[in-house]
Amino acid sequence: MFLKCLGLIKNNHIVLVLTSMAYNFLHFSLITNILQGAKIRGSFLNRVDIKISGKNNQVMIGEKTMMNHCTIVVIGNNCKLTIAGGSTNINYCLIRLCGEGSEISIATKFTAHGGTIESCEGKKISIGEDCMFAGGVRISTTDHHSIIDVDKNIRINQAKDIQIGDHVWLGRNVTLHKGAVIGDDSIVGEGSIVNGVLDEQHAVYVGYPAKKVKSGTTWSRALE
């Protein structure tokens, strides 16, 4: 019933904002999270915990975003999370930013059911439009611990940005490590690990590490 009502009001901006505020008062600590710096106008959050510590951090969740049983954690300064909204549906996910100037940007029509998206050490994760993540997906810009070159006494596993193109489907338990790049209109198969650049469009990637197994493909959320 709620989804039907949302469909009726989605094109009326004022009604959408007022309805989302009423919904969030019932299902979400609206006032607490607004005071922390979260901007959630026009979104619908059910059992979503937002924890922000540090200075000049931003959490912006766009209109028509639905989130259920999620946790957003920001620890650091000048970090920025942007969820564009527009028919986005995120369930049972952890979204985490830490360090100085880390960013996560999620475009419209994004869906995810369980998993972790984590940007640390001042790096950025960019997720394009109309992406679909299955359960257990893990994305992180950092290894969390240092690997040191003994002779040079320097760290050799620096954090790196992650870029995911438009219309990308990540299968169950896919892992994207620092520096991963996925091209538009691609599929990464279940259990695959992406360590580098897979930027060919219309491709299927599978394996450990993931490699291209097919070209000239696309995918649809519906069974054709």
Side-chain angles (χ1 to χ4, degrees):
M1 177 62 71
F2 171 71
L3 292 176
K4 290 181 180 179
C5 293
L6 180 59
L8 293 174
I9 66 175
K10 66 181 181 179
N11 293 320
N12 188 316
H13 174 75
I14 295 176
V15 175
L16 177 67
V17 171
L18 293 176
T19 304
S20 73
M21 290 180 66
Y23 181 86
N24 291 331
F25 269 118
L26 294 174
H27 299 277
F28 174 69
S29 301
L30 181 62
I31 296 176
T32 299
N33 287 292
I34 288 175
L35 291 174
Q36 289 190 91
K39 298 179 181 180
I40 57 173
R41 188 175 181 180
S43 55
F44 295 82
L45 310 182
N46 177 39
R47 297 189 180 182
V48 175
D49 188 15
I50 301 179
K51 302 176 181 178
I52 303 173
S53 63
K55 298 180 179 179
N56 302 318
N57 295 306
Q58 301 179 57
V59 172
M60 295 176 285
I61 303 175
E63 290 186 0
K64 305 175 189 175
T65 296
M66 296 190 67
M67 298 184 72
N68 296 284
H69 298 269
C70 294
T71 300
I72 296 172
V73 178
V74 182
I75 303 173
N77 302 311
N78 302 305
C79 296
K80 184 177 181 180
L81 167 64
T82 304
I83 301 174
S87 302
T88 285
N89 196 322
I90 306 173
N91 302 283
Y92 299 95
C93 287
L94 168 64
I95 301 175
R96 183 171 182 264
L97 300 95
C98 59
E100 180 72 30
S102 299
E103 293 187 38
I104 296 175
S105 175
I106 301 174
T108 59
K109 302 178 183 178
F110 172 72
T111 59
H113 191 86
T116 301
I117 303 172
E118 178 184 55
S119 181
C120 296
E121 299 192 65
K123 300 304 176 183
K124 181 175 182 179
I125 296 173
S126 176
I127 300 172
E129 293 187 354
D130 194 27
C131 288
M132 180 172 69
F133 293 2
V137 168
R138 185 179 184 279
I139 301 170
S140 181
T141 62
T142 180
D143 294 332
H144 296 286
H145 303 285
S146 297
I147 299 176
I148 308 297
D149 183 297
V150 174
D151 293 331
K152 298 180 181 179
N153 194 31
I154 59 173
R155 180 184 172 190
I156 57 175
N157 63 331
Q158 300 295 332
K160 297 178 182 178
D161 295 338
I162 293 174
Q163 182 177 345
I164 301 168
D166 296 333
H167 196 61
V168 171
W169 174 10
L170 301 184
R172 186 177 300 275
N173 296 325
V174 165
T175 299
L176 270 59
H177 289 304
K178 61 186 188 297
V181 176
I182 309 294
D184 294 344
D185 198 16
S186 296
I187 301 168
V188 181
E190 180 175 353
S192 298
I193 295 181
V194 180
N195 293 319
V197 178
L198 305 177
D199 57 357
E200 181 177 331
Q201 300 181 12
H202 313 295
V204 179
Y205 300 97
V206 177
Y208 180 97
K211 296 181 180 180
K212 183 180 68 177
V213 296
K214 192 170 183 61
S215 299
T217 59
T218 188
W219 61 272
S220 172
R221 294 175 185 268
L223 289 174
E224 300 294 343

